[in-house]
Amino acid sequence: MMKYISLIVLFLIMSCGNKEDIVLPKADRTIVSNIEDHSPIYIFFRTNEKDTLAEVNRKNSIITTNWIFNIDKRLPLRIVIPEVMKLQDKKRKEKAHKNEKAENYYSYADSIGKNMAFIPFTKVYYKLEKPIGISIFFNKKNEILVDHVIVKQDELDNYLKKMADNSNRYQLCFDEEMSFDSYVKNIIFLHSIKLQTTENFIF
């Protein structure tokens, strides 16, 4: 297990003789604490003048294992999610060495337990478009809008229950300019109120 350092986790790997780091997202609870038979995928934060770029390193990934996505928290969703989608698609289309039990996880740091933690997202399909139906939209200002009505995070669960609707109809949407750090925090929050869908819309 990676060492937890001052509430910020730095992954140090060697690439062409250079030391590189990824600053992981942080949250206050653990969804999954341990994963066996895994291989890493790294998505680095890069800049080129005024542009922000994502650099993917998957040279140590093995298709039959659980994949752990170590993604720099500073990357916006509009840049990182297309890279995640490509890797998901590659694994889903694998035929010769497919392992039906192999999962995909995002890694993050639990700032309370001071340990590495993971979120499964194998069954999530990302769509880079606006959905049809009742949307729960998380914007880059950390606001939650349910069909354009702002709802406080600690009131969302009760608000949805009062709507007396089927949660399967809700479409989870996220601002494409949101940081990966904020996205992970929001997903962990949704886990806490048991609100999950198989589709995430990014726009």
Side-chain angles (χ1 to χ4, degrees):
M1 180 173 290
M2 299 291 182
K3 185 178 180 181
Y4 190 95
I5 306 175
S6 301
L7 305 185
I8 298 178
V9 174
L10 300 179
F11 273 100
L12 302 177
I13 68 171
M14 302 304 294
S15 176
C16 300
N18 296 321
K19 185 179 289 186
E20 301 186 84
D21 65 277
I22 288 179
V23 185
L24 289 182
K26 294 188 296 181
D28 60 0
R29 71 193 71 183
T30 292
I31 303 298
V32 176
S33 60
N34 187 49
I35 301 171
E36 297 181 355
D37 189 24
H38 59 81
S39 54
I41 291 174
Y42 302 96
I43 303 184
F44 294 95
F45 175 89
R46 295 284 185 258
T47 57
N48 182 8
E49 295 182 351
K50 294 183 179 181
D51 296 328
T52 297
L53 308 172
E55 180 182 322
V56 179
N57 181 333
R58 59 169 298 266
K59 63 183 180 181
N60 293 320
S61 65
I62 301 171
I63 199 74
T64 57
T65 64
N66 296 305
W67 281 1
I68 297 179
F69 286 66
N70 305 296
I71 300 175
D72 197 295
K73 71 177 189 177
R74 296 167 290 181
L75 287 166
L77 295 187
R78 64 179 171 80
I79 291 176
V80 74
I81 293 302
E83 300 298 337
V84 171
M85 291 170 67
K86 292 175 189 175
L87 292 164
Q88 280 183 308
D89 191 54
K90 177 179 177 61
K91 196 171 189 180
R92 285 168 177 157
K93 289 181 176 179
E94 174 63 31
K95 301 296 183 183
H97 303 96
K98 192 174 184 66
N99 178 1
E100 296 291 348
K101 295 182 179 180
E103 304 276 352
N104 296 330
Y105 297 86
Y106 291 131
S107 66
Y108 66 98
D110 183 334
S111 59
I112 303 300
K114 294 181 172 56
N115 58 270
M116 288 291 298
F118 310 93
I119 310 171
F121 70 98
T122 313
K123 297 179 181 179
V124 175
Y125 285 79
Y126 290 102
K127 295 190 175 183
L128 307 180
E129 60 189 48
K130 292 184 179 181
I132 297 174
I134 300 173
S135 65
I136 302 174
F137 182 65
F138 294 78
N139 68 22
K140 64 180 180 180
K141 298 178 182 178
N142 291 320
E143 296 173 330
I144 303 173
L145 293 88
V146 180
D147 266 10
H148 308 291
V149 176
I150 295 178
V151 180
K152 293 181 179 179
Q153 186 182 82
D154 59 1
E155 298 175 357
L156 179 62
D157 194 21
N158 287 332
Y159 183 88
L160 296 177
K161 288 176 181 176
K162 288 179 180 178
M163 289 180 70
D165 210 326
N166 187 335
S167 63
N168 290 329
R169 290 185 56 195
Y170 298 138
Q171 307 290 355
L172 295 180
C173 308
F174 302 87
D175 193 320
E176 66 179 2
E177 296 299 332
M178 175 183 292
S179 70
F180 186 69
D181 183 58
S182 293
Y183 174 71
V184 166
K185 287 181 172 67
N186 287 323
I187 293 298
I188 291 171
F189 162 68
L190 291 169
H191 270 263
S192 73
I193 63 172
K194 297 180 172 56
L195 179 57
Q196 301 169 54
T197 67
T198 57
E199 293 179 331
N200 280 190
F201 292 83
I202 314 295
F203 60 90

